[in-house]
Amino acid sequence: MSLDRPCEVRPLSKRYGSHTGVDDLSFSIPRDQVVGLIGPNGAGKTTTMKMLLGLVRPTGGDISLLGRTVGEPNWGAALQRVGSMLEAPPIYDRLTARQNLEYQTLAVGGTVDQSDIDTLLRLVDLAGRADDRPRGYSLGMRQRLGIAIALVGHPELVILDEPGNGLDPAGILEIRQLMCRLPEAGTTVLVSSHQLAEVQQACNQRSILANGRTVAQGTTEEILSGRSQHVFHVTVDDGDVPATADALRAADLDAFDRAGSMFVITPPAEIDGRDLNLLLATSGVYASAISQPVASLEDAFLDLVQHPSSELDIAQKATIS
């Protein structure tokens, strides 16, 4: 396993009888980045994270975690360098935030260092509430305390399952800002979510899952590569609108929409922007602008999870590196 990739999965599967929860899933996590594992509910995100942590035994495939193979006798040493928060944060409401962190430090075999605990409390913006019991915290504050608990011991990799689930927009923003700060402290982050906007803004890389399989991986630019819509926006002068409409109809391109002096044209696949420009110029119309809209990440996400048969082309073009 490359030292630049704290975790690599190839090709992972998990079956429960006749049901397949994860199906030949492959991805890798670059060091010192925030990587998102995104997909609709039931896509296999939580099952995958549990397999990474050794909580669920894979049916097939291999997981390399910080230089060790999960499940083999020596992988426990790697697991000690991994923090996690799955489902509800492991918080004791009878203890203060500081005492929760002290307890977790002792639980992982460490020595309580108040300066380390102070650093964690500042990192998650809870220094001012360190001596309060979490029962009085908001949901966002509880999530941030859960992340602080996951960060006890300075893990190289932290795994967070739906950390923004149930939060209001302000709480989601707090979690996002916190995740973005973690690589600066040397912690790589793998976060799962079904909230595309949350992952899009927080993550450097993302892996999209559907039906337990990887259907796309990479940066936003890589995932959207080659996914431009075959639609053209053609803007002309107001006085050229009638002539433009006539020229398009004469070329059998009458399936267009118009908003003022802008025409929205969906031509056959063999016709591109240059052809449209030449067509109009031949009719004496000179377009002031011709553009081709690029698909958004949301468009790509919905298309990929609804039509996973396209996964091979996308996965081959976009890989986490």
Side-chain angles (χ1 to χ4, degrees):
M1 183 184 74
S2 169
L3 295 177
D4 294 330
R5 296 182 176 87
C7 180
E8 290 185 318
V9 171
R10 315 229 185 263
L12 194 63
S13 64
K14 178 61 183 178
R15 296 180 178 83
Y16 301 93
S18 60
H19 172 70
T20 299
V22 175
D23 187 13
D24 291 337
L25 181 66
S26 296
F27 64 88
S28 62
I29 303 172
R31 186 174 295 279
D32 295 336
Q33 293 197 22
V34 181
V35 176
L37 198 62
I38 61 177
N41 291 330
K45 303 185 298 295
T46 299
T47 299
T48 298
M49 290 186 154
K50 288 182 176 179
M51 286 191 286
L52 295 182
L53 295 168
L55 301 175
V56 171
R57 185 186 296 273
T59 304
D62 295 305
I63 303 171
S64 295
L65 192 67
L66 297 174
R68 306 293 175 93
T69 300
V70 172
E72 292 188 355
N74 62 358
W75 81 281
L79 191 60
Q80 292 176 354
R81 296 148 56 200
V82 179
S84 65
M85 185 179 74
L86 302 183
E87 300 169 345
I91 295 172
Y92 294 93
D93 282 331
R94 292 181 179 272
L95 304 179
T96 66
R98 181 181 300 278
Q99 289 169 338
N100 268 278
L101 293 174
E102 291 172 346
Y103 179 83
Q104 178 66 13
T105 300
L106 295 172
V108 299
T111 301
V112 174
D113 183 331
Q114 291 299 333
S115 65
D116 281 347
I117 290 177
D118 288 339
T119 298
L120 281 176
L121 289 167
R122 287 194 298 270
L123 178 66
V124 299
D125 294 326
L126 289 176
R129 300 289 300 273
D131 297 316
D132 294 343
R133 294 180 180 179
R135 66 178 60 176
Y137 282 5
S138 67
L139 181 56
M141 293 169 68
R142 292 178 66 87
Q143 292 293 86
R144 298 204 310 272
L145 178 56
I147 294 174
I149 291 172
L151 293 172
V152 165
H154 308 286
E156 295 178 43
L157 171 67
V158 65
I159 296 174
L160 306 174
D161 187 20
E162 302 276 5
N165 202 21
L167 299 184
D168 60 19
I172 291 175
L173 176 61
E174 291 172 349
I175 296 297
R176 182 195 311 149
Q177 291 173 336
L178 171 56
M179 288 192 298
C180 291
R181 291 197 296 267
L182 295 180
E184 299 173 4
T187 299
T188 302
V189 181
L190 174 65
V191 55
S192 76
S193 181
H194 63 276
Q195 299 175 348
L196 180 63
E198 173 190 348
V199 174
Q200 182 176 2
Q201 296 182 59
C203 298
N204 310 104
Q205 307 266 357
R206 52 201 57 83
S207 182
I208 299 177
L209 272 61
N211 300 324
R213 305 192 72 180
T214 305
V215 293
Q217 301 179 62
T219 63
T220 297
E221 292 74 17
E222 289 169 336
I223 291 174
L224 294 181
S225 176
R227 298 187 68 86
S228 295
Q229 305 173 61
H230 198 65
V231 175
F232 295 87
H233 291 178
V234 177
T235 303
V236 299
D237 293 338
D238 290 341
D240 287 331
V241 168
T244 301
D246 291 342
L248 293 174
R249 292 190 185 101
D252 294 326
L253 297 176
D254 50 357
F256 60 80
D257 294 316
R258 184 171 67 84
S261 61
M262 185 184 76
F263 288 77
V264 181
I265 306 167
T266 306
E270 64 272 13
I271 295 179
D272 60 17
R274 261 185 272 182
D275 296 325
L276 290 173
N277 192 37
L278 178 61
L279 167 68
L280 295 178
T282 301
S283 301
V285 175
Y286 297 94
S288 56
I290 297 179
S291 61
Q292 187 175 12
V294 177
S296 68
L297 185 60
E298 182 177 10
D299 294 332
F301 175 77
L302 292 173
D303 182 50
L304 289 164
V305 300
Q306 292 171 1
H307 306 95
S309 60
S310 62
E311 65 189 76
L312 291 179
D313 291 339
I314 302 300
Q316 287 170 356
K317 292 179 181 177
T319 56
I320 293 180
S321 59

